[in-house]
Amino acid sequence: NKKVFIFDLDGVIVDTAKYHFLAWQKIAKELNIDFTLEHNELLKGVSRVRSLDIILELGNVEASQEDKDKWLIQKNEDYLTYLVDMDESEILPGVFTILKFLKEKNQPIALGSASKNARPILKKTGILSYFNVVVDGNDVTNAKPDPEVFLIAAKLLNISPENAIVFEDSVAGVQAANIGKMTSVGIGEASILHEAKYIFKDFTEIDTDFIEELIRK
Ligand code: B16
Ligand code: MG
């Protein structure tokens, strides 16, 4: 049975959460909303539009659509300035080893991210060529925990969801994989990602035997 290995982007391949945080914090400051690193956890895996709504809810701020649109543009323009200097040194530990192993084994690799900036990030970090398909925030209408982003990726490669393995750092992403009947692999804290079928702290904890086992299953 042919498998597909689907990777989330932020929190799995790179840590762009720190840049999202800096950009959102500027908006929050302007609006006098207290926005901490702890709050930032709530935005992981969540779309840009929903992220802004969460921040406004935190500050009990009501805003017009016009203002929201303005802040969304402002946030993204600021976020993009942090991406300018990104390079392959920002690939999280252990990720390269697994990507290379999957390539050696001729396994299809997909990206399944909520971000609309996924392609430039993959290009800047030099790993775009590892991916057989890239499905991101530009391709979906339903955000995680809806499995749409992962289902599209599997479908593009003609692989049934049961044969898809999803690496995710967010609760919503793990739920999306589970709802889609895929094998969920949580990357992060077991206490947070307990719904995942397998959980690892990071990719350095995943050995190639485990990947081989997934391929054979
Ligand atoms: P953008 P992922 C997600 O990426 C981030 O975790 C989330 O914090 C962000 O709001 C979302 O992408 C949208 O990003 O503003 O670049 O479209 O974890 O799904 O790879
Ligand atoms: Mg993520």
Side-chain angles (χ1 to χ4, degrees), residues 8-12 14 16-17 20 24 39-51 54 112-116 136-137 140 142-146 149-150 168-176 193:
D8 172 50
L9 182 63
D10 174 32
V12 168
V14 287
T16 35
H20 284 295
W24 281 128
H39 294 139
N40 197 50
E41 287 298 311
L42 302 170
L43 309 188
K44 290 191 175 173
V46 169
S47 74
R48 196 182 307 166
V49 171
R50 179 74 196 121
S51 297
I54 291 173
S113 165
S115 174
K116 295 190 170 180
D136 63 25
V140 297
N142 304 304
K144 302 166 187 175
D146 190 291
V149 66
F150 300 141
E168 254 293 347
D169 71 307
S170 73
V171 174
V174 165
Q175 289 170 340
L193 301 173

Side-chain angles (χ1 to χ4, degrees), residues 19 80-90 124:
Y19 303 138
L80 292 177
T81 65
Y82 298 108
L83 303 187
V84 172
D85 292 327
M86 268 191 117
D87 60 27
E88 71 166 55
S89 69
E90 296 215 31
K124 293 222 65 146

Side-chain angles (χ1 to χ4, degrees), residues 56-128:
L56 295 177
E57 279 164 28
L58 282 172
N60 258 317
V61 173
E62 294 217 15
S64 65
Q65 194 54 49
E66 203 186 339
D67 276 340
K68 285 196 203 178
D69 290 344
K70 184 185 78 192
W71 295 326
L72 287 170
I73 292 170
Q74 198 182 322
K75 186 268 173 179
N76 198 52
E77 281 176 355
D78 190 44
Y79 175 66
L80 292 177
T81 65
Y82 298 108
L83 303 187
V84 172
D85 292 327
M86 268 191 117
D87 60 27
E88 71 166 55
S89 69
E90 296 215 31
I91 301 290
L92 289 170
V95 171
F96 260 125
T97 310
I98 301 302
L99 285 175
K100 283 185 183 135
F101 184 74
L102 290 170
K103 269 278 164 266
E104 264 167 41
K105 297 278 165 188
N106 262 315
Q107 298 298 308
I109 303 175
L111 191 88
S113 165
S115 174
K116 295 190 170 180
N117 298 300
R119 272 177 190 277
I121 293 170
L122 293 177
K123 268 192 203 149
K124 293 222 65 146
T125 52
I127 56 167
L128 182 61

